[in-house]
Amino acid sequence: MEAWTPPSGPPKGPPPSRDIFAIMGEEAVFRMCRDFYVRLGASEIGHMFPADLEAASQKLACLLVGLFGGPPLFQSRYGPPALRARHLPFAIDQRARRVWLQCFEDTLEGADVTYGFPPAHLAAFRGFLSEFSAWMVNREG
Ligand code: HEM
């Protein structure tokens, strides 16, 4: 099937604060992503993800470590992110995006306590996820 391109184009907003990594640390970023993927696996888009959710979650964790100001783990392990291209094999419509975002919202509930996520940077991170996920949508409807 032909991929659909969001008319809004690639994300234009700012990336997450690069101060986050120094505050959270690598272990908490990986733990947050693991918990997020457990939620994804149990959600209505769970079928899209591989059985080894923990391994899958580590790719997102590597990306976020770099975006949060830590070492560029994703690039050194997997190469250029090219995330829209990497998502094209999966049929992602607005509904799938909403489920993905809701799973992340649920994970971020109380994230300051659970993961030491700096509260001052939470709202901007939510905005980043919303905008970036819009760019991953590749099917109309
Ligand atoms: C719009 C909602 C989204 C859906 C439904 C979705 C779904 C998926 C799926 C099915 C995979 C493949 C998992 C695997 O086989 O290991 C994946 C991989 C990945 N996703 Fe998403 N994703 C979404 C948004 C995002 C966003 C916004 C980001 C970044 C902030 C992201 C980061 C990643 C990364 C880093 C990978 C690993 C890529 C690779 O190397 O294969 N995703 N996603």
Side-chain angles (χ1 to χ4, degrees):
M1 201 208 241
E2 187 93 340
W4 177 82
T5 306
S8 47
K12 295 165 194 71
S17 163
R18 295 186 62 79
D19 296 338
I20 298 174
F21 183 75
I23 299 165
M24 274 179 89
E26 189 165 312
E27 181 275 332
V29 176
F30 274 74
R31 190 157 44 84
M32 179 177 79
C33 291
R34 192 192 60 206
D35 293 351
F36 168 52
Y37 266 64
V38 168
R39 285 191 164 86
L40 283 177
S43 76
E44 71 171 70
I45 61 168
H47 62 275
M48 288 187 185
F49 294 89
D52 190 346
L53 287 169
E54 169 131 25
S57 78
Q58 289 172 359
K59 291 183 161 183
L60 177 62
C62 287
L63 183 85
L64 291 182
V65 162
L67 286 175
F68 288 171
L73 296 183
F74 189 92
Q75 287 83 342
S76 45
R77 292 185 193 176
Y78 311 111
L83 284 180
R84 192 174 145 84
R86 287 180 190 259
H87 284 78
L88 285 179
F90 306 97
I92 302 178
D93 58 12
Q94 289 294 347
R95 183 183 169 114
R97 173 191 174 218
R98 270 198 303 277
V99 174
W100 189 97
L101 272 176
Q102 187 58 52
C103 287
F104 222 132
E105 281 300 324
D106 294 346
T107 308
L108 290 177
E109 196 69 42
D112 51 338
V113 176
T114 316
Y115 310 114
F117 197 109
H121 296 308
L122 254 178
F125 182 54
R126 287 194 165 102
F128 164 81
L129 291 176
S130 176
E131 194 185 24
F132 213 95
S133 62
W135 181 234
M136 294 304 124
V137 174
N138 53 34
R139 297 291 187 280
E140 206 165 7

